[in-house]
Amino acid sequence: MTDDRELDGRRVVGFVATLIAVTAAFGALLGYVLPAWTGLEEIAILEMAVPVSPVTFGLYGGVTIGVFLVTLLVVVQVITRFDENAM
């Protein structure tokens, strides 16, 4: 038995937003726990010193995963426009 379900845009956007929020929350948790365990106060990202805090790690994680997933969605959207059998 096959189930021909289609993904609508709202589900995909909701899933991506959820992944970004979970990643930002995990980054914030890591930014809270890491200084307590290791005593680390700042890290270097692309030769720039960044203080270790829940805000910076949450922001970094959310922006990084967000840029990656949105770029992936745009690439998939462009590819499906050139696919003759897509819809």
Side-chain angles (χ1 to χ4, degrees):
M1 193 184 314
T2 61
D3 187 15
D4 294 329
R5 293 178 18 181
E6 291 185 24
L7 288 176
D8 60 342
R10 284 193 278 163
R11 280 192 181 181
V12 173
V13 170
F15 181 69
V16 167
T18 302
L19 283 177
I20 292 170
V22 167
T23 303
F26 181 72
L29 179 67
L30 189 63
Y32 177 76
V33 172
L34 194 61
W37 281 356
T38 64
L40 187 65
E41 293 180 6
E42 61 182 30
I43 61 171
I45 299 175
L46 298 174
E47 299 182 13
M48 186 173 67
V50 177
V52 176
S53 72
V55 173
T56 57
F57 271 38
L59 186 64
Y60 180 75
V63 167
T64 303
I65 294 300
V67 166
F68 174 74
L69 290 177
V70 168
T71 303
L72 183 67
L73 285 175
V74 168
V75 168
V76 168
Q77 184 70 22
V78 168
I79 289 173
T80 57
R81 289 184 185 218
F82 292 113
D83 187 13
E84 297 170 356
N85 299 324
M87 291 189 197

